[in-house]
Amino acid sequence: MRDDDPRLPTAPGFWRSPLRGTWFTSVLGLVLLVGVTVLFLTGLVSYAAYNPDLAPVNDQTPDKGLLGFYLFSWPTNPSWLYRLTQGLHVTLGVTLIPVLLAKLWSVVPKLFALPPARSLAHALERLSLLLLVGGGLFEFVTGVLNVQLDYVFPGSFYPLHFYGAWVFFAAFLTHAALKTPKALRAVRERHGDQGELTSPLPDPPTVDRRGALWFVGGGSLLLLVTTAGQSIGGALRRTALLAPHGWADPGGGPNGFQINKTAGYAGIDPRQTAEETWRLVVTGRGGRTVRLSRAELLRLPQHSAALPIACVEGWSTADQWWRGVRLRDLAALVGHDGDPPDVLVESLQLHGAFRRGALRANQVADPRSLLALRVNGEDLSPDHGYPARVIVPAAPGVLNTKWVARLTFGEL
């Protein structure tokens, strides 16, 4: 068969849809230009929320080098900051899926075009296109799997998504630099019936390009409605049909709000958390150490804070009313009067990347940062971290460590 045989995907006549054209592709591309840029920026913000340079336990990305540059110390105000930024990241990513698929469909003939490279600029464009398509699919697929808590990919999601994001965005910037002027011109001049994307032998149209754009937009709107409620909360949570935590809050009563990992899933033995066996070990200046039972913790000054929990998967809770001992007060017990230092928090959980987590001094110092013993007027349930858990304003959910066993204050 010849390369121009219409039975081969390398032949222009193989692709018969009358919808393909410069205008249609340009509109989709400009939407992605804005959307993917916001995704990348909110992804960097999420990276900063882990305080990655604080301690190796918070960021275990191998060989990240300059790619792991640190932005700023993550603040504790406003308390809903991570809930907003990560909710935007996940919701926007899901909403853009129909736009991404439509854009890939509109340019698929170019992936098969021959010769592979007509010039250096064309070769650069083709290479960026391959990295863009592969990187885009990888990032969106792994992101959706993470949101759904389906960890079927090899390795850890965190470094895979981290490196994939840099590859994808580098290709995206290259492609945008080459194509944005042409896309803006195509949209402004409203042409698109001619060009390399237009089929020379189009089939009869069943819908025009504007109708196709409305179809893509409707798909995005449907995904927005069925996803956004997981981070907005309230009555809209029931509309989040595609979110793993989007249904009605689990159970009832004061502990009836979202749970990521249960005590059973984390391998917590009830004998470890029993009143007579569990002790919190707090270590501070000069190795000074105290061991506190839950009853002794309850006799210390108790404080309350209304804070949400927001997770990397994009889901969050409404504000819950937490009560317990301030982290800065526990630091003072072991010699850190005045400005408290950083703290390493360790859980009874035996496995998992975040069975240990580090908090920066500004997080420890915030008066709303608690070692929580109760929530909404009742003792913590086992699934919410009984006998004690950390709760910190604006921190990612995995750093609000449950089943706390040890606090080590000092330079990490």
Side-chain angles (χ1 to χ4, degrees):
M1 292 184 183
R2 304 191 314 274
D3 290 340
D4 59 353
D5 190 315
R7 291 173 294 178
L8 291 176
T10 53
F14 180 86
W15 308 99
R16 304 290 296 276
S17 173
L19 295 177
R20 289 190 178 92
T22 305
W23 181 83
F24 183 72
T25 298
S26 297
V27 172
L28 296 170
L30 291 174
V31 172
L32 288 173
L33 177 64
V34 176
V36 169
T37 301
V38 173
L39 284 180
F40 186 73
L41 293 176
T42 51
L44 286 180
V45 166
S46 180
Y47 179 72
Y50 286 82
N51 286 319
D53 74 335
L54 178 58
V57 297
N58 282 14
D59 181 18
Q60 301 179 31
T61 306
D63 303 319
K64 59 183 179 178
L66 293 177
L67 296 182
F69 70 91
Y70 187 61
L71 296 172
F72 50 85
S73 297
W74 189 248
T76 56
N77 284 303
S79 63
W80 41 261
L81 179 61
Y82 191 73
R83 184 182 184 189
L84 172 66
T85 59
Q86 193 61 15
L88 175 61
H89 181 78
V90 170
T91 302
L92 179 60
V94 173
T95 302
L96 286 177
I97 289 175
V99 184
L100 175 69
L101 294 178
K103 179 67 162 60
L104 295 179
W105 172 86
S106 73
V107 299
V108 71
K110 297 186 67 175
L111 296 177
F112 295 91
L114 296 175
R118 297 189 297 269
S119 64
L120 179 60
H122 184 245
L124 181 60
E125 178 190 343
R126 292 294 295 275
L127 178 60
S128 72
L129 190 62
L130 288 174
L131 292 175
L132 184 68
V133 172
L137 290 175
F138 179 83
E139 284 299 284
F140 276 81
V141 169
T142 55
V144 169
L145 289 173
N146 180 64
V147 168
Q148 296 298 328
L149 306 178
D150 290 330
Y151 302 111
V152 297
F153 36 78
S156 171
F157 166 79
Y158 190 88
L160 288 174
H161 206 66
F162 175 85
Y163 282 118
W166 281 109
V167 172
F168 172 50
F169 198 68
F172 177 80
L173 286 180
T174 303
H175 190 75
L178 293 169
K179 289 299 184 180
T180 298
K182 181 178 179 180
L184 290 171
R185 187 167 57 252
V187 172
R188 185 168 53 248
E189 298 175 0
R190 296 181 179 276
H191 66 76
D193 292 334
Q194 302 297 326
E196 56 185 344
L197 295 175
T198 306
S199 174
L201 299 170
D203 288 328
T206 56
V207 64
D208 62 15
R209 291 189 177 102
R210 291 184 182 277
L213 286 176
W214 278 109
F215 179 77
V216 173
S220 290
L221 180 61
L222 178 63
L223 290 177
L224 173 65
V225 170
T226 54
T227 303
Q230 68 170 337
S231 57
I232 296 175
L236 289 177
R237 192 176 300 279
R238 295 180 181 273
T239 69
L241 304 178
L242 300 182
H245 301 272
W247 293 97
D249 293 343
N255 279 273
F257 55 96
Q258 284 76 6
I259 296 166
N260 194 343
K261 292 180 175 63
T262 65
Y265 179 91
I268 302 300
D269 188 334
R271 290 172 295 183
Q272 295 176 287
T273 60
E275 181 75 24
E276 62 273 12
T277 58
W278 180 83
R279 295 294 183 272
L280 174 70
V281 179
V282 185
T283 302
R285 179 171 282 129
R288 180 176 175 181
T289 299
V290 297
R291 294 170 56 87
L292 299 167
S293 68
R294 196 168 189 278
E296 290 170 325
L297 285 168
L298 285 168
R299 286 196 290 269
L300 294 175
Q302 301 292 296
H303 299 272
S304 299
L307 298 172
I309 296 175
C311 281
V312 70
E313 297 93 354
W315 67 269
S316 61
T317 72
D319 284 355
Q320 308 298 321
W321 195 254
W322 306 91
R323 188 162 178 79
V325 183
R326 288 174 175 170
L327 292 182
R328 69 186 192 185
D329 292 345
L330 290 169
L333 284 179
V334 288
H336 292 288
D337 296 313
D339 293 335
D342 306 331
V343 64
L344 177 67
V345 185
E346 299 178 76
S347 172
L348 291 173
Q349 182 178 340
L350 296 178
H351 306 289
F354 287 97
R355 62 166 297 274
R356 302 165 74 227
L359 297 173
R360 196 170 286 283
N362 69 301
Q363 295 173 309
V364 176
D366 193 294
R368 296 166 296 173
S369 296
L370 304 175
L371 180 73
L373 306 171
R374 296 170 63 82
V375 62
N376 299 324
E378 187 175 277
D379 287 346
L380 296 169
S381 68
D383 290 339
H384 279 302
Y386 181 88
R389 70 171 297 165
V390 164
I391 188 74
V392 175
V398 290
L399 294 181
N400 291 314
T401 308
K402 297 193 285 187
W403 314 294
V404 175
R406 179 182 291 271
L407 299 173
T408 303
F409 291 95
E411 296 298 323
L412 302 181

